[in-house]
Amino acid sequence: MADQATAQEFDILVLGGGSGGYATALRAVQLGLTVGLVEKAKLGGTCLHNGCIPTKALLHSAEVADHARDGAKYGVNVEFQSIDMTAVNAYKDGIVAGKFKGLQGLIKGKGITVIEGEGKLTAPDTITVNGTAYKGKNIVLATGSYSRSLPGLEIGGRVITSDEALKMDYVPKSVIVLGGGVIGVEFASVWKSFGVDVTIVEGLPSLVPNEDASIIKVLERSFKKRGIKFNTGTFFQGVEQDNDGVKVTLVDGKTFEADLLLVAVGRGPSTAGLGFEEAGVTVDRGFVITNERLHTGVGNVYAVGDIVPGVQLAHRGFQQGIFVAEEIAGLKPVVVDDINVPKVTYCDPEIASVGYSEKAAKEKFGDDRVESTEYNLAGNGKSAILGTGGIIKFVREKDGPVVGVHMIGTRVGEQIGEAQLIVNWEAYPEDVAGLIHAHPTQNEALGEAAMALAGRPLHG
C-alpha cells in the first residue's frame, strides 16, 4: 500500500507532455525531484507531431524542389518532374518517428513516470486521470494549444487546418490561405514550391504583421516575385464549398476560388474542460493567467507554454519549463521577457527576429531615442553564393545597447543565436563590431550591420 501511495505522489506533477511539459520534467529530475508526466496522446505534443518538426520537413522538401528547378543556374543539369507526396510524407514521418522514439527513450531513461490518459485538475494538488487521482506537491499545467478557426467557420471537407494539411497525400492545384501570419506564410511557401497556385487572405494591413516594417516590405516583395498572391487589409466574411472547390468571400465583396481553404488564423489555448477554473485558477479567454514567475496564484500550481499569454513558440515553452523546475527547486532563475524570445518563420525567404521592432522601440524609448541600420545581404559573399537577397536590421537605443535584430533571407534563421545573445546581453553595436565573424558566412552580415550602427561601416 505504501508503494502504491508513493507511485501516485510526486514532487512535480505535469499535465501535458509537449515542449513545455517534458522540459519541466527533464530539468526537475536533474535537480533530484520526482516527476509524474500526464499525456493523453504522444510525448512531444504539437511541436513534434503536428507543428515545428513536420512543417519544417515539408519546407525542406520544398527547398529541394526549388533547387531541382533552378539546378541549371548552378551548373547542375537536372530535370524537375513532380512532387511524390507518398515519398515526401515518408521522409517527414520518418523524421518525426525518430525524434519521438528518442524522446520516449530519454524520458524513460531519466526515471520520469509517464501517466497515459486525459488528465483533469481536480484540486490544487491533484490531477485525475481515467478515474485515478495523482498527487503533486507542485502542479505544472502545460496543455498546449490547438488550431483555431473563426466564429461560424467550420472545419471539414475542403476547409482544413494545418493538422489536415500535414497529412495530405496529394498536391492540390490551388489553395486559399486564410491568415498571413507564421503558419499561413510557411504553408504558402511550401505549396508554391510544390507548384500550387496560392492566394493568402489577411485581414490586417500586411503579411506577418508582428514583424518589423522593413522585414514585411522585403517579404511581400519576395512573395510577389515568387508568384504568391495575397490580399491584405480586408477581413474574411464566408466560404462556400462543393465537390469542385471553395469560394471565399471578403467583407468588401471580393471573392476567391480554389481547391482548398487552409484556415491559418493562429492557435488557441487548450484549457477547456480541464478543471482549471474549478480549482481556482484564473482563465481569461482560454489563457491561464500567471505572474512573471509563472505561478497561477493558487497553491503550488504553475503554467507554461502556449496556455500562458504571449508568443506561442515551442522554445519559449521549453525555456519556461526549465524555469519552473528551477523555481520549484529554489534556484531563483532569471525571468526572460517575451520580447527577448527569438522568433523564426521558415518561409522562403526566412525571417528571424528578436527584441523590439523599430516602431515598438520608438513607442518605448521615444522617436528621438532610437537608431537603426539595415545591411543589404546583396553585399554578403555567402548570400550571393546561395542566391539570396534580404536584409539584416539592427535597432538600438540611442547611445545605448542593441534592442532588436531583424533578418530576412535564405537560411537567416541560423543566425538568430548570436542575435539573441546580442539583445539579451544588452550588447552595444561597438561591442559586436569588435567581434570576429568567419568569412565567407552570412554571419558576417551581423558584424557589418553592427559596424554601420557604430558609425564605421566597412563596406558602406
Side-chain angles (χ1 to χ4, degrees), residues 33-118:
L33 303 174
T34 60
V35 180
L37 182 59
V38 180
E39 174 55 52
K40 68 177 182 179
K42 292 181 177 180
L43 291 174
T46 295
C47 177
L48 177 54
H49 300 285
N50 295 298
C52 319
I53 301 301
T55 56
K56 278 53 183 180
L58 286 183
L59 281 154
H60 184 61
S61 291
E63 182 183 27
V64 173
D66 288 333
H67 285 330
R69 287 190 185 91
D70 297 338
K73 182 167 69 174
Y74 304 103
V76 180
N77 295 318
V78 295
E79 182 180 351
F80 175 82
Q81 295 181 343
S82 64
I83 301 294
D84 179 353
M85 282 307 298
T86 298
V88 168
N89 284 329
Y91 157 68
K92 166 179 64 69
D93 295 343
I95 297 293
V96 172
K99 300 300 290 182
F100 178 48
K101 184 177 180 181
L103 178 60
Q104 286 178 303
L106 180 62
I107 294 294
K108 182 178 180 180
K110 296 295 184 181
I112 297 167
T113 300
V114 177
I115 303 164
E116 297 181 354
E118 185 165 359

Side-chain angles (χ1 to χ4, degrees), residues 304-319:
V304 301
D306 287 358
I307 62 173
V308 178
V311 292
Q312 292 178 311
L313 297 168
H315 49 277
R316 174 202 184 229
F318 194 88
Q319 187 62 36

Side-chain angles (χ1 to χ4, degrees), residues 403-423:
V403 297
V405 178
H406 308 272
M407 303 178 275
I408 183 166
T410 298
R411 301 184 187 176
V412 294
E414 299 302 322
Q415 308 309 318
I416 197 63
E418 180 177 343
Q420 70 94 18
L421 290 177
I422 291 169
V423 171

